[in-house]
Amino acid sequence: MLSSSVYYKWKSFEEDEDRPEKPRRFGVTEMRGPQYTLLSQNMLQDVFETMGQFVDGLKFSGGSHSLMPKSFIKEVIDMAHEHDVYVSTGDWAEHLLHKGPSAFKEYIEECKSMGFDTIELNVGSLGVPEETLLRYVRLIKSGGLKAKPQFAVKFNKSDIPTGGHRAFGAYVHPAPRSTEMVEDVNLLIKMAERCLEAGADMIMIDADDICRDTDSLRADIVAKVIGRLGLEKTMFEASNAKTAEWFIKRYGPKVNLFVDHSQVIGLECLRGHNTGRSHASAFGSSYSLF
């Protein structure tokens, strides 16, 4: 393991006015928890002890917490809280809908009892009417937790209002479900705005079809989302180092990003050394904790 002097030699965090102390409202770094790789308690402890000041949140991606013993989840959550790191459920709520109307309330209570701070709602996977989505947001808030809807830029064609009724929530005559997915950034923004009005704390933007790879990154969509919703209320998934670097160079250290645990150090170096020059070496193997 490299010493902290090697990791942090590029910047003086005490002198960096763009990086306030936690809890931060902007410049948030949310870290992916167990999903693609198995993170043991010891490994997570190493992450928090060496990089805890740079990690704002931990997300149990893909409903991974549903496969783990509750005792393990509780220990991980307690460990995160000791380092002022909030913990998010990730997108799992959609798997509860088949259990009936009361299942979501029970899910909120269980998340609260476990110590989760944030419940994420994958809007595309939920597949519920907008008013139901807004009700879920209000239920989460009334339960004392933070709500973070996650949006993709493509919607099922059946869910897109037609004709002159572009305002989401207007009555649309039921139509057969389509399998066609259609890009509609304006609908994304309108729905996100209504979620924020209902009390949502942050809007998560899925990387698919927007920023999965830098070669196909949709700068126009990112600019429109940030322009309408603001940096403070949006978080983007940076699925690789080059994408994270693009966001920092384009929008500065205040952009909120969701990254893999292996990217945390490189991302923080870019946040504090944002001069427009390339620092690709920050993401190289010599700066990887694991």
Side-chain angles (χ1 to χ4, degrees):
M1 183 180 297
L2 297 177
S3 67
S4 59
S5 61
V6 175
Y7 281 126
Y8 314 141
K9 65 180 181 180
W10 289 351
K11 64 183 288 187
S12 172
F13 293 97
E14 293 76 17
E15 298 173 358
D16 190 348
E17 296 179 355
D18 285 325
R19 299 298 287 146
E21 295 295 322
K22 295 193 296 184
R24 288 181 273 261
R25 294 182 296 106
F26 50 79
V28 172
T29 296
E30 185 171 286
M31 184 181 79
R32 179 182 287 110
Q35 182 183 13
Y36 302 115
T37 58
L38 181 61
L39 296 183
S40 66
Q41 288 188 49
N42 290 337
M43 189 175 290
L44 285 170
Q45 185 69 37
D46 287 342
V47 172
F48 293 142
E49 289 182 354
T50 58
M51 303 187 288
Q53 61 178 314
F54 315 132
V55 178
D56 298 273
L58 173 69
K59 175 179 173 178
F60 281 81
S61 298
S64 54
H65 62 282
S66 66
L67 302 176
M68 301 175 186
K70 290 185 178 181
S71 57
F72 174 82
I73 299 172
K74 188 70 169 63
E75 289 174 4
V76 169
I77 292 174
D78 290 343
M79 187 191 308
H81 289 165
E82 289 174 4
H83 294 272
D84 297 319
V85 174
Y86 70 80
V87 185
S88 172
T89 61
D91 48 345
W92 183 247
E94 60 269 24
H95 296 282
L96 304 171
L97 297 183
H98 68 279
K99 295 183 178 181
S102 63
F104 193 77
K105 289 184 178 180
E106 295 172 359
Y107 175 62
I108 294 173
E109 289 303 316
E110 183 177 10
C111 289
K112 188 173 183 179
S113 66
M114 294 288 290
F116 281 101
D117 306 286
T118 301
I119 292 180
E120 190 167 296
L121 300 170
N122 189 318
V123 176
S125 298
L126 278 172
V128 297
E130 190 203 31
E131 291 304 322
T132 302
L133 172 64
L134 298 178
R135 182 168 64 86
Y136 287 168
V137 170
R138 297 186 187 102
L139 284 172
I140 294 170
K141 296 299 294 182
S142 64
L145 300 178
K146 292 185 177 181
K148 183 163 67 170
Q150 175 180 336
F151 288 92
V153 73
K154 288 188 176 181
F155 296 84
N156 188 294
K157 187 176 181 180
S158 306
D159 296 330
I160 299 178
T162 58
H165 301 291
R166 291 294 300 172
F168 209 85
Y171 176 76
V172 179
H173 190 274
R177 294 295 295 175
S178 171
T179 58
E180 182 181 355
M181 302 300 289
V182 179
E183 179 181 301
D184 196 328
V185 64
N186 290 320
L187 181 58
L188 183 161
I189 291 171
K190 288 178 183 296
M191 292 181 67
E193 287 175 335
R194 292 205 65 191
C195 284
L196 291 172
E197 291 171 359
D201 299 271
M202 181 84 72
I203 300 297
M204 181 75 181
I205 305 298
D206 196 303
D208 288 342
D209 302 306
I210 298 180
C211 52
R212 179 68 65 188
D213 300 299
T214 51
D215 293 339
S216 58
L217 197 148
R218 295 291 302 277
D220 56 330
I221 293 178
V222 173
K224 195 165 187 177
V225 169
I226 290 178
R228 289 281 296 275
L229 303 180
L231 275 177
E232 185 178 325
K233 292 296 185 180
T234 53
M235 176 176 287
F236 292 88
E237 179 182 0
S239 53
N240 57 67
K242 289 185 178 180
T243 301
E245 187 171 4
W246 181 90
F247 273 105
I248 298 298
K249 284 185 174 182
R250 182 65 63 94
Y251 292 102
K254 295 184 179 181
V255 65
N256 304 315
L257 295 176
F258 170 56
V259 299
D260 188 74
H261 70 274
S262 61
Q263 297 175 233
V264 171
I265 286 297
L267 173 57
E268 190 63 26
C269 287
L270 286 173
R271 288 193 192 277
H273 204 77
N274 180 35
T275 61
R277 291 176 291 172
S278 174
H279 295 286
S281 61
F283 292 98
S285 59
S286 61
Y287 288 90
S288 176
L289 183 62
F290 309 115

